[in-house]
Amino acid sequence: MLSTIDCAEQNMQSESVDFRCEQLLRRKLVAKGEDGNPRHYIERRILMPLGVTVGDWRSGPDGAPLMPQGLVLAASEWAKIGEFVRGGGKLEGRPLVDEATFGEMFQGSQVNPAYGLTWWLPRSTPAVDIVTRSTDITSHAAELPADMVVAAGAGDQRLYIIPSLRLTIVRQAKLDIAALAAGKKGDWSDWRFLSLLLKPASE
């Protein structure tokens, strides 16, 4: 598995980092004499063993797979990935990936304690960039499960994983391309959703 240190020394949450990771992975695979297509590697190494069916995987003009945002999955298939993460990167009780490297994905940095490698964490953060502001879990860190991790996609699509509560939650949404291109933010609130979901039934 590609080391998170290779990809996330600056721990930035941008597609440019994902593209750099893609190129690094491609070079490492080719250097080992393997197929240099990152999609094929991820499918062979992760998705196929998990039984994940890919709906589509969009490619760029050069024919290369779009790694940051090209994968299309049904909710049930995304949930399989969530369950894999909730289980600590194990399949049938056995590690599918290096456990130490897997854990590094969920560690924030001094620059942004609320962001690991493509995963959001319920941590307070000094970061004020537009991407960090797209989720409000950072403002309610003390009120959320400390072990929760969140994958956040375009159109406010979400994958919430809370190991301590044995929860994997998928939220899919219709993507408004025009609004996204115009920089308009929807009214989705992670905190509002999670506070209702995690509210004790007796209240």
Side-chain angles (χ1 to χ4, degrees):
M1 188 174 184
L2 183 63
S3 171
T4 57
I5 300 300
D6 292 331
C7 289
E9 288 182 347
Q10 297 181 29
N11 210 21
M12 298 167 59
Q13 58 279 7
S14 68
E15 290 193 0
S16 63
V17 172
D18 293 320
F19 282 120
R20 289 198 293 272
C21 287
E22 173 192 345
Q23 292 303 313
L24 181 58
L25 176 56
R26 187 188 305 276
R27 292 174 185 174
K28 287 194 171 188
L29 290 171
V30 170
K32 293 172 62 178
E34 299 182 15
D35 176 5
N37 188 313
R39 170 183 174 174
H40 296 164
Y41 174 79
I42 292 172
E43 288 179 326
R44 181 181 72 253
R45 189 78 169 77
I46 304 294
L47 301 183
M48 290 178 62
L50 296 180
V52 173
T53 299
V54 174
D56 189 20
W57 201 318
R58 297 187 295 272
S59 298
D62 60 354
L66 294 174
M67 304 305 289
Q69 42 83 14
L71 181 60
V72 178
L73 296 172
S76 58
E77 304 307 302
W78 203 12
K80 292 177 183 177
I81 297 174
E83 283 292 278
F84 169 66
V85 171
R86 187 176 71 83
K90 296 179 180 179
L91 177 63
E92 298 178 351
R94 301 181 62 180
L96 188 60
V97 296
D98 180 81
E99 293 181 272
T101 303
F102 180 82
E104 289 176 0
M105 293 195 301
F106 312 108
Q107 297 177 10
S109 68
Q110 290 184 343
V111 174
N112 193 347
Y115 195 76
L117 183 60
T118 76
W119 292 93
W120 289 100
L121 316 169
R123 310 281 188 274
S124 59
T125 177
V128 294
D129 60 276
I130 189 171
V131 181
T132 299
R133 294 200 308 270
S134 67
T135 177
D136 53 7
I137 64 171
T138 59
S139 301
H140 299 275
E143 301 157 275
L144 291 167
D147 64 341
M148 182 180 75
V149 297
V150 181
D156 296 321
Q157 299 191 87
R158 297 288 192 266
L159 176 61
Y160 303 98
I161 302 165
I162 311 176
S164 60
L165 298 179
R166 301 175 63 186
L167 285 175
T168 293
I169 306 156
V170 174
R171 178 188 191 258
Q172 291 192 317
K174 185 176 181 180
L175 182 60
D176 187 336
I177 299 294
L180 188 66
K184 295 181 180 178
K185 188 182 183 305
D187 60 356
W188 176 256
S189 166
D190 292 303
W191 165 243
R192 184 167 62 240
F193 171 73
L194 290 166
S195 63
L196 291 172
L197 178 74
L198 302 177
K199 185 178 182 179
S202 59
E203 292 187 13

